[in-house]
Amino acid sequence: MPLALLALAIGAFGIGTTEFVIMGVLPQVADSFDVSIPTAGWLVSGYALGVVVGAPLLTVLGTKVSRRKMLMFLMGLFVVGNALSAVAPGFGVMLIGRIVASLAHGAFFGIGSVVAADLVAPEKKASAISLMFMGLTVANIVGVPGGTYVGQAAGWRVTFTVVAALGVIGLLGVARLVPEQGRPGAADIRAEFAAFKNAQVWLAMAMTVLGYGGVFAAITYITPMMTRVAGYSETSVTWLLVLFGIGMFLGNLLGGRFADRALMPMLLTTLAALAAVLLLFTVTAHHQALAAITLTLIGALGFATVPPLQKRVLDQAAAAPTLASAANIGAFNLGNALAAWLGGAAISANLGYTAPNWVGALLTTTALLLALLATALPHHPTPPPSPTPTTDPHNRRPSRTLDPASK
């Protein structure tokens, strides 16, 4: 695999750490700003909504520069947002910092997915995407538990300072290892938007919103669930997040490998299993050992859906995948925001700290139904745009540029 994938994985590591570490320090942040845990949950939802807005917006703006330069700019934006969160004097400023950092998230993974897929042979595209996302899964084994431990020992502000430093390392990695590539070009914007005329692209993104959103319904409130229901100490949350990260790491590898062989069967299987395990978590969350095992399975099954969901969008928008790829990263985070809000609403309604689990199961089941619908509908990837008309200087009549292969 090309060394540039390592640079993408480094950037993904930093982004993955800041996305998930908030779950480990959510109670401390809530206490620091004197807000409730559901209110502090807006730091998750706000981040996710920032990804939804930033993914397509910055991807379109990025057509004016090379993909490498755009990835460097995005990592710089990420550093600024996390530094602002670290010094925030109030909850509102921290929320702004989270949103600034989140603007880089969707475009980085969206553009990075296209770069990763272009670096390898067609039959290895899902595996290449999964290797880039490996940085995010490793973040959940090392970065998130480490950040949670630092937050508990030295304060959550130190955690976000360290995350900002990770962003600097990611920026240097992209600058050093990712090769310079031509910019997509403003002329390709028409083709990028044309991909959204394909119903299968919208179905794939809807599956993303609801499928992986089910995971976030549970994981957003994992700290209060494990400490107040399962009976773990706050310090044990670090190791529980390690187990979740190990599950994500393994699920990502398996998802990428099997998606290259049989994408939709892999996706249907994992969505069905994920819905069942999330429903089971409402029971196993009351038992420490069973809770730890179930949490690992949620990480594995949840992230096993990521490479096939991302590749599904790339396949359906094959002629111009960059904007659709970034929009699908936004779809992941739209699901995260929706799930975090629904999970918090269930807790606020006095349904208990395990209520987000059955909320997640319902979301994932709906994604499974959409996947079955997508399988039944015709498969028509977005065709390339028609050639741009040109003018013959001799007769001034419109003509079309011919493909050399058609002569």
Side-chain angles (χ1 to χ4, degrees), residues 51-52 55-56 59 106-107 109-111 114 310 321-331:
V51 177
V52 174
T59 299
F109 279 108
I111 295 171
V114 176
Q310 191 68 7
T322 305
L323 183 57
S325 175
N328 196 52
I329 299 298

Side-chain angles (χ1 to χ4, degrees), residues 40-123:
W42 277 102
L43 295 173
V44 178
S45 297
Y47 184 97
L49 291 174
V51 177
V52 174
V53 174
L57 177 62
L58 291 177
T59 299
V60 170
L61 294 177
T63 59
K64 299 181 182 299
V65 298
S66 71
R67 291 191 175 111
R68 173 175 169 270
K69 289 179 180 177
M70 190 60 189
L71 290 172
M72 292 171 62
F73 167 76
L74 293 170
M75 289 308 301
L77 193 63
F78 170 84
V79 172
V80 171
N82 281 287
L84 183 59
S85 292
V87 300
F91 182 78
V93 176
M94 184 175 185
L95 181 58
I96 292 172
R98 291 283 291 169
I99 292 173
V100 170
S102 73
L103 293 175
H105 182 129
F108 183 91
F109 279 108
I111 295 171
S113 292
V114 176
V115 172
D118 285 347
L119 289 171
V120 298
E123 67 274 10

Side-chain angles (χ1 to χ4, degrees), residues 96-164:
I96 292 172
R98 291 283 291 169
I99 292 173
V100 170
S102 73
L103 293 175
H105 182 129
F108 183 91
F109 279 108
I111 295 171
S113 292
V114 176
V115 172
D118 285 347
L119 289 171
V120 298
E123 67 274 10
K124 294 183 179 295
K125 289 182 181 296
S127 296
I129 293 170
S130 74
L131 285 176
M132 181 192 71
F133 277 97
M134 186 184 296
L136 193 151
T137 61
V138 172
N140 281 272
I141 299 175
V142 180
V144 175
T148 300
Y149 175 79
V150 169
Q152 292 171 347
W156 59 266
R157 293 184 186 276
V158 179
T159 296
F160 282 96
T161 301
V162 173
V163 170

Side-chain angles (χ1 to χ4, degrees), residues 24-49:
V25 297
L26 198 65
Q28 289 92 335
V29 173
D31 290 342
S32 177
F33 293 123
D34 195 25
V35 298
S36 68
I37 285 180
T39 298
W42 277 102
L43 295 173
V44 178
S45 297
Y47 184 97
L49 291 174

